[in-house]
Amino acid sequence: MAELTEKGRRTRSRIVEATAQRILDAGIDGTSLDDVRAATLTSKSQLFHYFPGGKAELVREVALWEGRQLLAAQEPHLSDLSTWESWAAWRRGLEEYYLGLGRWACPIGSLTAQMAATDAETAELLRAGWTGWRTRVADGVRRMQAGGHVDPGADPDRLAAAVLAAVQGGLLLSQPERSSWPLEAALDSAWATLESLRPGGRAAQPS
Amino acid sequence: MAELTEKGRRTRSRIVEATAQRILDAGIDGTSLDDVRAATLTSKSQLFHYFPGGKAELVREVALWEGRQLLAAQEPHLSDLSTWESWAAWRRGLEEYYLGLGRWACPIGSLTAQMAATDAETAELLRAGWTGWRTRVADGVRRMQAGGHVDPGADPDRLAAAVLAAVQGGLLLSQPERSSWPLEAALDSAWATLESLRPGGRAAQPS
């Protein structure tokens, strides 16, 4: 794509964000380029100018944008996760982010569940996103181990996967329930696993 | 819809099953009525005869069919879940079912994640499906409590939600990874929570 002016970049961002909202509301299936044009008051040729790759390119840009939003919502805690307080703050931040979206769905989780409906490039991008997220949580487990808060024999990658699975599965179960109690129950369970790995055992009190 | 002959019922089932496979492969988005016609060698008027409600009705029938398949794959264990052995057998049955699908995706979980793209009737049907599934797992927790295997103070519905969240979130994380290790890690974590609720504490060995 040709270099964009500042105004062009803004228009492009606006289109990506409107598409992200539409996909969250109606799924990839319920999001046509006509819907995007209507929501952003852009013409066919404008849309083609900014996204010559059409819907596939737009979905890819949405995945990247949602990934950045999701990571930003987890800071500064995600980059820390060296204390139990930091883990608790990270969990609160995530819950607030999802609540703020107005529904119990992770934009990245939903895109991944619809991955069969995307092209290989988008699938690869989602793959890289998951690995990145999980690695950052696993790094947090390693920091807890280095600080003597978690059993050094525990597997950081498996623990990180269990925690993110609780987030995603908890959200999925909360969606039909229209309540966050399943998310809370899933996170409580994942946290119980983490806390059972405090050196000295479960009897230890939160620091 | 008019009463169907036996042959008619079979044709209708065949169309539902082919649509289910297509949705699993390509998402609701990637499944048009033309795709269904091509996969089942049916005409437009035949498809309309069996599914006057069009794609929405087909998706609903797919949700019902997938729900029945999923429940059947969990028997006889799901109706038992009164011993640790039964829980282990249930877990194995679920894992084998998902492996047998050839990808790490729960058909019901995927439909739920695409629920925004469905109509209210389908959403309601998925809602009822989740409540039914969770209730049956919670009943299993109650049986474990009645048998003295799990702390009677634990909340069966929250535990059931945590276990199903581990299944769903674990599958979601396994999909981009193309490996079931995230599912295993998530299930191990949920099981650790359950087992920590054995009367007598975590030190107890599996029976």
Side-chain angles (χ1 to χ4, degrees), chain A residues 178, chain B residues 56 60 115-127:
Chain A
R178 288 183 187 155
Chain B
R60 230 155 28 231
M115 208 162 78
T118 68
D119 59 357
E121 205 174 326
T122 311
E124 193 44 50
L125 200 145
L126 287 168
R127 228 164 253 135

Side-chain angles (χ1 to χ4, degrees), chain A residues 35-163:
Chain A
D35 295 323
V36 172
R37 289 204 302 111
T40 55
L41 301 176
T42 42
S43 66
K44 260 190 188 164
S45 66
Q46 257 185 308
L47 209 55
F48 181 76
H49 170 69
Y50 290 115
F51 304 94
K55 185 171 168 181
E57 183 178 359
L58 250 171
V59 170
R60 231 157 26 234
E61 290 299 319
V62 164
L64 286 169
W65 183 79
E66 292 285 14
R68 284 192 301 269
Q69 297 292 110
L70 179 57
L71 282 180
Q74 299 173 74
E75 295 300 351
H77 316 298
L78 180 61
S79 294
D80 178 5
L81 294 183
S82 66
T83 62
W84 290 109
E85 288 78 6
S86 176
W87 279 79
W90 174 60
R91 173 177 168 167
R92 271 197 309 277
L94 260 182
E95 286 171 337
E96 280 164 18
Y97 171 69
Y98 290 125
L99 271 177
L101 292 178
R103 59 171 58 68
W104 292 275
C106 174
I108 293 297
S110 298
L111 284 174
T112 304
Q114 298 172 70
M115 210 163 79
T118 67
D119 60 356
E121 205 175 324
T122 310
E124 192 45 49
L125 201 145
L126 288 167
R127 228 164 252 135
W130 281 107
T131 305
W133 195 8
R134 207 189 54 235
T135 302
R136 301 196 62 185
V137 177
D139 285 345
V141 175
R142 287 187 191 96
R143 269 177 228 118
M144 293 292 275
Q145 290 174 316
H149 307 306
V150 161
D151 179 351
D155 183 325
D157 291 302
R158 291 179 72 88
L159 281 172
V163 169

Side-chain angles (χ1 to χ4, degrees), chain A residues 25-26 28-29 55 109 113-114 116-117 127 130 134 158 161-162 165 168-170 172 176-178 181 185-186 188-189 193 202, chain B residues 25-26 28-29 55 109 113-114 116-117 127 130 134 158 161-162 165 168-170 172 176-178 181 185-186 188-189 193 202:
Chain A
D25 290 339
I28 297 179
D29 184 44
K55 185 171 168 181
Q114 298 172 70
R127 228 164 252 135
W130 281 107
R134 207 189 54 235
R158 291 179 72 88
Q168 296 295 321
L172 189 81
E177 206 68 29
R178 288 183 187 155
W181 78 258
D188 283 352
S189 168
T193 300
R202 324 183 69 239
Chain B
D25 289 340
I28 297 180
D29 185 43
K55 184 171 169 180
Q114 298 172 71
R127 228 164 253 135
W130 281 107
R134 209 189 53 236
R158 292 180 70 88
Q168 295 296 321
L172 189 82
E177 205 69 29
R178 289 185 187 154
W181 78 259
D188 283 353
S189 169
T193 300
R202 325 185 66 239

